Amino acid sequence: MNASDRTPADLLRSALAADPARPLVTYYDDATGERVELSVATFANWVAKTANLIQDGLSAEPGERVALLLPAHWQTAVWLLACASTGVVADLGGDPAGADHVVAGPDRLEEGLACTGGRLALSLAPLGRRFPAPPAGYDDYAVEVPSQGDRFAPHVPVAADAPALAVPESAAGRTEPTELTGAELVERARSDARRRGLEPGSRLLSGLAWDSWEGVSAGLYAPLAAGGSVVLCRHLDRLTPEALAARIESERVTHRADAS
């Protein structure tokens, strides 16, 4: 990857320039049987549309906070990179009452109503399907995002030293949010990639929850920083050992970061 990359959006741009057709995120939900594979180009298109929705639909400004009440999921990955592209802070699992906007999955909609700003709901259904009707108090992301532009340009350049991500981390027996700038996030991701032995072309299978830096780094940022890709698995514990072995072979997995 480009050594001059200083923000998560830079990492994605470098991946797009290097090989837009290669897989970036392959997502499995072993509770539903869903499998979705996104190339770098397809993922970047989702990010651009979502960034336009953040900037123009939510009218979010750099420095504002978006509480992401979402699990490890390919659409969560899209939102993390879209927030980084616009300069808003992605607060993963953050308090919606203290956020400027909230994005909630189907099991956290009531919690998200504590946010007094813009609210978007994600069904997290296969193929990104919309809700039968928008949940009360929310706009449906799947309804709003398709009409957004395929290219994104921020109104204000995103500074590498501006806050980019808030994520829970454990310290001294407590779980507290850690806030990272874009540059700090990229450096951590690169360090994690080196620690895991990732390199261009690596395929990291991750079954870790996105309730900590360790989980979201393995499930997105470290593979992206290394020029690799991720096989992101939700409900991986439902697989038999034989089925997991078959997935590792079929997906050409080179590295693992799961709880087994």
Side-chain angles (χ1 to χ4, degrees):
M1 300 301 287
N2 193 330
S4 65
D5 291 340
R6 299 195 63 214
T7 70
D10 290 339
L11 295 177
L12 182 58
R13 279 191 289 270
S14 289
L16 192 60
D19 186 358
R22 71 173 176 85
L24 180 61
V25 177
T26 304
Y27 172 75
Y28 283 89
D29 186 335
D30 289 303
T32 65
E34 178 185 5
R35 180 186 183 276
V36 174
E37 183 166 281
L38 291 88
S39 67
V40 177
T42 300
F43 184 84
N45 182 254
W46 275 94
V47 168
K49 284 180 172 292
T50 303
N52 280 311
L53 178 59
I54 292 170
Q55 182 170 265
D56 299 327
L58 292 177
S59 298
E61 298 182 357
E64 291 188 352
R65 304 181 76 84
V66 177
L68 298 179
L69 308 185
L70 301 169
H73 192 278
W74 68 267
Q75 288 188 321
T76 312
V78 166
W79 269 92
L80 288 169
L81 267 294
C83 287
S85 300
T86 59
V88 304
V89 181
D91 194 349
L92 193 58
D95 178 7
D100 298 288
H101 311 278
V102 68
V103 180
D107 59 344
R108 301 188 70 177
L109 295 171
E110 184 174 355
E111 181 183 351
L113 291 173
C115 178
T116 59
R119 304 188 199 106
L120 287 165
L122 273 66
S123 73
L124 303 180
L127 304 178
R129 289 199 306 267
R130 61 182 62 184
F131 289 91
Y138 287 86
D139 291 323
D140 188 340
Y141 170 71
V143 173
E144 302 298 325
V145 78
S147 62
Q148 300 296 321
D150 293 329
R151 296 181 181 275
F152 174 75
H155 294 327
V156 179
V158 177
D161 60 355
L165 176 70
V167 63
E169 286 199 299
S170 297
R174 303 186 306 276
T175 299
E176 299 178 347
T178 291
E179 196 162 287
L180 301 173
T181 67
E184 289 169 339
L185 190 159
V186 168
E187 182 51 41
R188 273 202 180 196
R190 285 175 170 152
S191 177
D192 287 355
R194 290 191 294 269
R195 174 173 58 85
R196 293 186 180 279
L198 302 180
E199 57 188 9
S202 293
R203 293 274 284 169
L204 173 63
L205 182 145
S206 178
L208 299 178
W210 282 12
D211 55 2
S212 68
W213 167 257
E214 183 76 5
V216 74
S217 174
L220 176 61
Y221 293 119
L224 179 61
S229 58
V230 63
V231 181
L232 180 63
C233 302
R234 191 176 178 207
H235 301 122
L236 187 63
D237 57 350
R238 301 196 182 194
L239 279 193
T240 66
E242 294 77 15
L244 177 58
R247 178 171 302 167
I248 289 170
E249 180 179 3
S250 67
E251 295 291 353
R252 305 178 306 283
V253 169
T254 60
H255 299 73
R256 286 177 61 179
D258 55 76
S260 60

